Amino acid sequence: MTEQIRVERTLMRVFIAESDRCAAGDHKGRPLYEALLLFFRERGFAGATVVRGMAGFGASAQLHTNRVLRLSTDLPVIVEVVEEEANIQEVLPELDTMIGGGLITLEKVRVILYRTEGG
């Protein structure tokens, strides 16, 4: 039998570039996406996912793409976390020090979690 859990949480998306490095903290100098994953795990977050984009541009309007003719080593990266609002608000000041440039968005989401018995 499968158990279904429905809750409201906050989705945080951190938009950065693949070449970005962590600016401060315990993981200073690491690739930023990796530092963020470690940071969220250390803070006991339920999970985080890193998504590598095919193409995009940010505030500089410079196009980053994976097209063969314009091979980029600086593709867009999105780190996504679904967590309780209070936990996200608590870590935002630390994220401000870790992220040199980028964008963070927050939105309310409805979560439907499926678990099998014993899982």
Side-chain angles (χ1 to χ4, degrees), residues 13-27:
R13 288 190 179 113
V14 182
F15 295 83
I16 56 176
E18 190 174 26
S19 66
D20 287 347
R21 297 282 176 185
C22 183
D26 294 341
H27 305 293

Side-chain angles (χ1 to χ4, degrees), residues 2-3 5 10 23 29 35 42-43 52 56 63-64 68 78 80 89 93 100 106 110-112 115:
T2 302
E3 174 186 15
I5 302 170
T10 298
E42 291 163 359
R43 296 306 182 280
R52 185 178 190 217
L63 187 62
H64 302 272
V68 175
I78 302 168
E80 293 190 333
Q89 291 299 326
L106 302 174
R110 290 180 299 192
V111 175
I112 302 172
R115 290 189 179 162

